[in-house]
Amino acid sequence: MANNKKTTAAKTSDKRNLKYGSLSVVITVIFVALVIILNIIATAFSPYTDMTASGFYSLSDDFTEEMDKLLHPESGEEVYINIVLLAEEDVFFGFNEMTMMLYQTFRELTKTFDNINLVAYNTTVHPELAEKYKTTALDTLSLDDVVFELCDENGTALMNTPAKKYTARSFFMMDSDTKTYIGYNAETKLLSAVALLTGKAEKPTAYYLQGHGEPTLEEASDWQEVLSLAGFETKAINLAGEDFAEMSGDDILIVNCPKFDLVSTKELSEVKKIREFLGTHYGNMVVVEDANVPKLPALEGLLSEYGLGFGGSVTDNQHSVSASGASKIIADYSQTYNPNLSEQPMSGQILGKLFGKKNSNLPTTIFTTPKEVVIYDAGEVVSGVNASESTFALLQSYNTAQTRTAKGEIINGSVPLLGVSRIVWELNAGEVSYVVALSSADFLSAEYESSCANRNIMLELLRLMWDNTISYDNIDYKEFDDTALTDVSTAAANTWTITCVVIIPALIALCGIIVYVRRRHS
């Protein structure tokens, strides 16, 4: 009788354990299923839903109104735009945190405007699809680049207007001191791209100086071509009888191999006009001289105010290009760029954008009949009361170069061939001007276009002076609450996805199994 009671009690205990063990399994399975379903839903809808407190992906009313004017002009035909991604949509979305934000904005844009299409190419498998978007023969495209092009109502690209290409980084605002991203500037960048494509934007002017024996604009067709590629309107100017027109801080003055000096008298001072162009209107200047340009004291004096100047002629028998006529020497990138540095100087940042982490098989940069570019010490530069300057050599010769001084002496060693002065006008909303000293008359020659980095380097300098962004007073960037936005790799994004979708549900399921087994055998 006692045994029957024990057996009955054991069976009751087994049923109770089975009951509650099974219940724990059911609850665990339901919970895991809900986690997986919620993850799937979140993954499916997150690219299209703006859940940020600041509405980063939502389009502002002012932006919508401005874009509508560009796409539906009062007079003229409808405008159709393709936003072209150089990677498939899921690849672009997962590339990093920046592209993730951009993709959500693009989806919102295409939902709002029927005239805008989102096109994605797999340029990894079909690199030929990206060829037409290259600015120069050596231009390298990245999978996170974004291209804007005019198209017809069927989405077929119109080939008569060059496309506009931007990096993902260019849609974000960076603090120049801390090197951290402080805001999202997609709306202004989008409007700028469409306005430039449709010719509705007023481009900055590249003034080409005349009146000192310089080549004419027609003779300097290489300059015209590169300035046009960079987005500038080109205009010849003779400061002896003309003044600069209404100016913006993006305008440039090109002084290309003058044979005679600038006028600097009480009655007429071209030097004063240029100084005001730079210091009052925050413009930029590129001065080109080679060994054939004589000593020009007034121009040299103006350049020295920005830490730059020109010295004697430079030759290098060991690093030259064999050609009849003029001496052509090759720049040594290692003098100003070390791809292994974690924090690059300004020269390294500029060259790094072109060459990335490469340190071999780089395209050459050629200087024809160059002269030394002088980089003055900071203590020798007279800065304005509201400006700070940093002057550096962007390109230098090899150590095997020889420089002939004005006295005929020969000095051996590396010398600067291209110098840059960066002037920050601190009391004027952080306006920045650039002054460039270049020591080669045919630096932009079409002869070098397909195999040398000359044009790419000049285009990068021009982009520093103007980044193809039109200002809109009624639209501002969206400021980050936390300025620590950094590029998040695809691997990191995948790790978080696996953690949320696989690992966490698996851990919960494992806990349920342990509970079930322990109850089952207790």
Side-chain angles (χ1 to χ4, degrees):
M1 195 73 178
N3 288 335
N4 289 338
K5 287 182 179 180
K6 289 182 180 179
T7 302
T8 303
K11 288 181 178 180
T12 302
S13 176
D14 288 343
K15 288 180 179 180
R16 186 183 297 111
N17 289 337
L18 180 61
K19 174 183 177 182
Y20 291 111
S22 300
L23 181 60
S24 68
V25 171
V26 171
I27 292 173
T28 301
V29 170
I30 292 174
F31 185 79
V32 170
L34 285 174
V35 170
I36 293 173
I37 291 170
L38 286 173
N39 272 295
I40 292 172
I41 293 173
T43 303
F45 285 95
S46 61
Y48 314 105
T49 306
D50 187 357
M51 301 177 69
T52 62
S54 303
F56 280 109
Y57 315 123
S58 301
L59 306 178
S60 68
D61 293 339
D62 287 335
F63 168 81
T64 304
E65 183 179 345
E66 294 285 353
M67 182 63 77
D68 192 64
K69 290 178 184 177
L70 292 171
L71 297 176
H72 308 284
E74 293 182 0
S75 59
E77 298 181 355
E78 294 276 297
V79 174
Y80 296 89
I81 299 290
N82 281 337
I83 300 176
V84 181
L85 308 180
L86 302 182
E88 293 176 301
E89 292 187 38
D90 58 337
V91 175
F92 184 86
F93 176 76
F95 199 77
N96 55 42
E97 190 173 350
M98 290 181 172
T99 58
M100 191 180 298
M101 293 179 69
L102 278 172
Y103 181 76
Q104 294 182 80
T105 299
F106 295 156
R107 294 300 306 185
E108 188 66 26
L109 195 66
T110 56
K111 285 198 308 182
T112 305
F113 297 101
D114 294 335
N115 294 35
I116 299 179
N117 309 304
L118 184 61
V119 180
Y121 294 137
N122 186 343
T123 57
T124 303
V125 177
H126 300 286
E128 69 278 2
L129 296 174
E131 286 297 315
K132 64 179 179 179
Y133 301 123
K134 288 188 174 183
T135 306
T136 66
L138 294 180
D139 191 11
T140 55
L141 301 177
S142 173
L143 294 181
D144 63 345
D145 285 344
V146 180
V147 178
F148 298 86
E149 64 183 7
L150 289 176
C151 63
D152 61 21
E153 58 185 319
N154 298 316
T156 304
L158 304 180
M159 304 307 295
N160 58 336
T161 303
K164 292 291 179 183
K165 176 170 65 73
Y166 299 90
T167 64
R169 295 185 304 275
S170 66
F171 291 84
F172 295 82
M173 298 293 291
M174 175 180 278
D175 185 288
S176 58
D177 295 325
T178 63
K179 304 300 180 184
T180 56
Y181 292 99
I182 59 175
Y184 189 40
N185 199 34
E187 290 191 343
T188 298
K189 208 71 175 181
L190 289 165
L191 288 171
S192 297
V194 178
L196 290 167
L197 281 173
T198 57
K200 302 299 182 184
E202 186 174 339
K203 301 178 181 179
T205 302
Y207 293 97
Y208 184 85
L209 190 64
Q210 295 279 257
H212 312 86
E214 305 92 344
T216 64
L217 264 177
E218 290 70 25
E219 294 168 334
S221 58
D222 295 326
W223 272 103
Q224 283 205 81
E225 184 178 345
V226 171
L227 289 166
S228 177
L229 282 173
F232 291 86
E233 296 285 355
T234 309
K235 176 185 177 183
I237 187 169
N238 188 331
L239 292 176
E242 299 177 80
D243 292 324
F244 293 106
E246 184 177 345
M247 292 171 284
S248 73
D250 300 319
D251 293 338
I252 303 176
L253 175 65
I254 308 295
V255 183
N256 184 22
C257 291
K259 295 179 180 178
F260 313 110
D261 206 358
L262 300 175
V263 177
S264 183
T265 65
K266 289 184 178 180
E267 294 76 20
L268 172 65
S269 178
E270 294 178 302
V271 171
K272 182 180 178 181
K273 290 182 179 181
I274 296 173
R275 191 180 289 122
E276 289 178 351
F277 172 79
L278 294 169
T280 304
H281 300 284
Y282 318 118
N284 308 277
M285 180 169 68
V286 178
V287 179
V288 186
E289 290 191 16
D290 64 8
N292 298 315
V293 175
K295 192 73 174 176
L296 304 172
L299 179 58
E300 290 278 340
L302 177 64
L303 267 179
S304 69
E305 296 175 19
Y306 303 98
L308 297 169
F310 288 99
S313 61
V314 183
T315 56
D316 186 348
N317 294 330
Q318 296 187 41
H319 297 92
S320 61
V321 178
S322 58
S324 59
S327 168
K328 298 183 179 182
I329 71 173
I330 299 170
D332 179 12
Y333 300 130
S334 67
Q335 299 285 348
T336 54
Y337 175 50
N338 182 352
N340 298 317
L341 291 178
S342 56
E343 288 197 20
Q344 294 285 350
M346 194 67 186
S347 59
Q349 292 176 35
I350 294 172
L351 296 176
K353 289 181 180 179
L354 298 173
F355 304 142
K357 294 293 184 181
K358 298 177 183 178
N359 52 18
S360 61
N361 298 322
L362 298 177
T364 56
T365 301
I366 296 175
F367 289 78
T368 302
T369 59
K371 59 167 58 175
E372 175 190 7
V373 170
V374 178
I375 307 291
Y376 292 106
D377 293 333
E380 301 178 65
V381 180
V382 181
S383 299
V385 293
N386 67 333
S388 61
E389 293 182 42
S390 56
T391 306
F392 56 92
L394 182 62
L395 294 172
Q396 293 195 184
S397 68
Y398 281 85
N399 290 322
T400 51
Q402 295 183 320
T403 304
R404 182 180 294 274
T405 68
K407 296 180 180 180
E409 299 172 342
I410 300 296
I411 299 176
N412 298 314
S414 174
V415 294
L417 300 173
L418 195 165
V420 181
S421 181
R422 182 177 185 267
I423 307 102
V424 180
W425 307 100
E426 295 171 338
L427 300 183
N428 296 278
E431 291 279 357
V432 180
S433 297
Y434 289 89
V435 176
V436 175
L438 171 64
S439 66
S440 178
D442 66 346
F443 190 76
L444 301 181
S445 172
E447 175 187 352
Y448 306 142
E449 183 179 1
S450 61
S451 59
C452 301
N454 292 38
R455 289 196 172 196
N456 296 71
I457 289 171
M458 181 53 65
L459 282 168
E460 192 60 42
L461 288 172
L462 293 173
R463 290 189 189 105
L464 288 177
M465 300 173 193
W466 183 54
D467 64 354
N468 277 259
T469 301
I470 309 298
S471 59
Y472 287 83
D473 294 335
N474 57 334
I475 294 175
D476 201 0
Y477 68 89
K478 297 175 181 179
E479 190 172 356
F480 293 137
D481 294 329
D482 180 4
T483 59
L485 175 65
T486 55
D487 291 356
V488 176
S489 66
T490 303
N494 290 338
T495 299
W496 278 106
T497 301
I498 293 170
T499 300
C500 295
V501 177
V502 178
I503 296 177
I504 293 177
L507 288 174
I508 295 171
L510 179 62
C511 290
I513 292 170
I514 292 172
V515 170
Y516 170 76
V517 171
R518 294 190 65 176
R519 286 184 177 275
R520 182 70 180 84
H521 295 283
S522 63

